[in-house]
Amino acid sequence: MNYAEQQAHLRQGRIAAICLIGISGLLAALTAAAAYSSTRSIVAFALVVAAVAVSLAYTPDYLHLTVNLKKRVRWEIKIRWRVAAAALLVGLPCASNLPGIAALGVGTAWVIAANLLARPISQSYASACFWLTDLTLVAALLLFGFCGPLVGVGLLVASAHLSIVICEQRPFVWSAAVMVSAWLLLLVLDLRLSFAPQFFLAATGLLVVSAGGAGWLVHRAQQRNTRNLEVALQELMEFTGYAAEKVCRLWSESDQGLAQNWVQAALDENDAEALAQWYRQNSELYMFAISAYNLDYKRIRSNLKVLRFGRGACLDYGAGNGEVILELARRGHPATYYDVDGVSAKFARYRCQKRGLDVDFLHSREALAEAAGQRRFDTVFSLDVLEHLPDLPGQLIFLAGLLNPGGLMLFDVPAGTTRSHPMHLNHQVEVRSLLTERGLREKRTLLQKLPFVKEEKYVFVVA
């Protein structure tokens, strides 16, 4: 993966999203000003528009930079469950009469029914299913006077956005269809309810900008993801000789296969050699699982942040497919790869040779200690690996001993066993105390020091 291209894509996407949010915010303010609605309606409208703005800034890349297409529909279903819960929690105290309570109950039941209906429906039709059910609901609420025009416009904008974001193909075409159908509803309502001209024009502009902007961001993210997939797919096909269909299947099934193999093996979690042998035997499945993981938006963002810490001679301890260490080598760092000598390591070596990079490949702690005796490291990375290894204190102390004075160690906090990842070991170690007692100093930003911020990665410096 070309991380320079990923960085440019994400940066340009953020700039575009900020511009779209600014224009949408201005149009939303004009719509509210022209509606002459109650304070309660204006507040409700503002909350809906703010939620769409947040989603507009974040969601398209997150949903589309992945090999898992089902993720989009699952995301929307989760969002809609939350919408239904929020409607009940916020709407019931605000309802002023029995018809209002009845309308709220019917609307919530409608959203729940749409969620249940969408589960068995083909993913290709999920966008249309959600949009048609939402459009019908908003039309009913407006025509029967259960919500004002301003709140109705907000609901249309939100529904349009959610439908477009999960669109699987031709998001521009679908966003146009959504805009036209929403505008026709507004036109019918205008003929019946006689909106103020300023309100109708501002609401139309808001729909066009928000829906069109979402369509463009989704189109852009799909193009980026297609390029990422093509490169990753070609590499795996060339290395394994597998057909594209088999690679895609292994992308989606490798995690489940690893979990099943782990449970069947029933290993002693303290037997380091048995664990290493299991990982060698299952390294092909890991190769596919890591490849799929590295195509995900969150992982791309995480890797970009991690790469900023690279300085001097770098070691990736548990390097897998070599994603981080190969990029560091491309950037000119003396680079060392360390992992068990399995299929994923051979794949990393293949990728290294294909790119013409200079990386040392090591597969035993003895060889690593010998290499560090000749030249210690300035940066040690250990990402998504320590939860797989026994004796966490020993691992951390060993890694710290490989560093030069002033050297930096960056690693993940072991997550422990989960249902989908039973191979993660449950380490009960106070990492900060362990390393600070040995003279290392932790680097944390002001944000990371806040008590409610969840720690994902530790960064320590050798004093």
Side-chain angles (χ1 to χ4, degrees):
M1 181 176 293
N2 187 320
Y3 280 95
E5 290 183 1
Q6 307 306 310
Q7 184 77 59
H9 167 81
L10 294 172
R11 182 174 59 249
Q12 292 163 7
R14 284 193 294 270
I15 293 171
I18 290 170
C19 293
L20 286 168
I21 290 169
I23 297 171
S24 298
L26 176 60
L27 290 168
L30 293 174
T31 304
Y36 302 105
S37 295
S38 66
T39 301
R40 184 182 296 177
S41 294
I42 291 173
V43 170
F45 174 74
L47 290 174
V48 172
V49 170
V52 172
V54 171
S55 185
L56 194 65
Y58 178 69
T59 303
D61 286 333
Y62 171 58
L63 287 170
H64 294 85
L65 295 186
T66 175
V67 298
N68 186 0
L69 299 180
K70 296 179 181 178
K71 186 175 188 177
R72 306 176 200 172
V73 177
R74 289 204 305 265
W75 171 85
E76 174 135 349
I77 290 174
K78 288 180 181 179
I79 290 293
R80 292 166 70 87
W81 283 123
R82 292 170 186 169
V83 168
L88 288 175
L89 291 173
V90 177
L92 282 176
C94 297
S96 57
N97 52 42
L98 187 60
I101 295 174
L104 181 63
V106 171
T108 303
W110 185 270
V111 172
I112 292 172
N115 262 8
L116 297 175
L117 178 65
R119 286 188 175 185
I121 286 181
S122 169
Q123 191 172 305
S124 301
Y125 302 107
S127 290
C129 174
F130 283 128
W131 174 241
L132 291 175
T133 54
D134 286 350
L135 188 66
T136 303
L137 175 61
V138 175
L141 292 174
L142 287 167
L143 288 170
F144 291 103
F146 290 118
C147 77
L150 183 62
V151 175
V153 168
L155 294 175
L156 280 176
V157 168
S159 299
H161 172 79
L162 293 175
S163 172
I164 294 165
V165 161
I166 66 164
C167 180
E168 187 174 327
Q169 295 179 340
R170 298 179 181 175
F172 269 143
V173 175
W174 179 244
S175 63
V178 167
M179 283 188 284
V180 170
S181 55
W183 183 80
L184 289 174
L185 174 60
L186 281 181
L187 182 62
V188 170
L189 292 169
D190 183 34
L191 294 174
R192 179 169 177 175
L193 303 176
S194 298
F195 298 147
Q198 302 95 316
F199 173 79
F200 184 81
L201 289 174
T204 299
L206 178 59
L207 278 167
V208 169
V209 170
S210 61
W216 180 75
L217 285 176
V218 169
H219 170 74
R220 184 175 174 276
Q222 286 180 348
Q223 285 188 319
R224 177 73 263 166
N225 189 45
T226 298
R227 287 194 287 272
N228 290 350
L229 288 173
E230 287 173 350
V231 172
L233 183 64
Q234 188 63 35
E235 277 190 337
L236 285 168
M237 289 171 62
E238 290 175 356
F239 176 73
T240 63
Y242 295 160
E245 294 78 10
K246 184 172 182 178
V247 173
C248 293
R249 178 174 57 80
L250 286 167
W251 267 341
S252 64
E253 297 178 358
S254 51
D255 273 336
Q256 297 94 311
L258 286 166
Q260 291 171 4
N261 291 351
W262 176 266
V263 172
Q264 291 172 2
L267 298 174
D268 178 359
E269 295 183 357
N270 295 311
D271 189 339
E273 182 51 44
L275 292 177
Q277 181 61 23
W278 186 87
Y279 284 110
R280 278 191 286 269
Q281 292 171 349
N282 288 272
S283 58
E284 180 176 286
L285 284 177
Y286 262 108
M287 176 182 68
F288 287 102
I290 293 169
S291 175
Y293 187 33
N294 283 326
L295 290 166
D296 189 89
Y297 167 79
K298 283 188 173 181
R299 184 63 171 183
I300 293 170
R301 287 286 300 272
S302 176
N303 283 345
L304 286 170
K305 291 178 182 178
V306 162
L307 288 165
R308 292 203 296 262
F309 287 93
R311 61 187 186 191
C314 296
L315 163 70
D316 192 350
Y317 186 78
N321 292 356
E323 195 74 17
V324 170
I325 200 64
L326 295 186
E327 177 63 18
L328 288 165
R330 189 190 68 80
R331 296 182 181 191
H333 294 277
T336 300
Y337 171 107
Y338 178 85
D339 211 327
V340 296
D341 189 13
V343 176
S344 57
K346 292 179 175 61
F347 180 52
R349 193 184 293 272
Y350 160 80
R351 299 175 76 201
C352 177
Q353 293 171 349
K354 185 176 179 181
R355 290 162 172 75
L357 301 173
D358 184 14
V359 178
D360 292 330
F361 284 80
L362 302 176
H363 306 292
S364 71
R365 284 182 57 162
E366 293 76 18
L368 184 54
E370 182 180 346
Q374 299 173 8
R375 184 189 65 186
R376 290 183 177 271
F377 299 100
D378 299 298
T379 314
V380 169
F381 299 93
S382 187
L383 307 170
D384 300 309
V385 65
L386 293 176
E387 60 265 38
H388 298 270
L389 304 177
D391 185 20
L392 178 59
Q395 298 287 346
L396 291 174
I397 293 168
F398 172 73
L399 292 178
L402 303 175
L403 285 163
N404 280 316
L408 182 147
M409 181 167 67
L410 188 151
F411 59 93
D412 288 308
V413 177
T417 301
T418 64
R419 185 175 180 179
S420 57
H421 294 91
M423 67 287 294
H424 291 181
L425 307 183
N426 293 310
H427 295 298
Q428 303 296 328
V429 178
E430 178 48 55
V431 171
R432 286 194 178 96
S433 300
L434 175 73
L435 294 177
T436 53
E437 287 173 359
R438 284 160 176 78
L440 280 78
R441 175 174 51 85
E442 186 180 9
K443 292 182 63 174
R444 283 195 293 170
T445 64
L446 290 175
L447 181 62
Q448 289 172 328
K449 292 179 181 179
L450 296 175
F452 56 83
V453 175
K454 182 181 179 182
E455 195 81 55
E456 292 186 354
K457 289 181 173 60
Y458 283 123
V459 180
F460 279 87
V461 178
V462 177

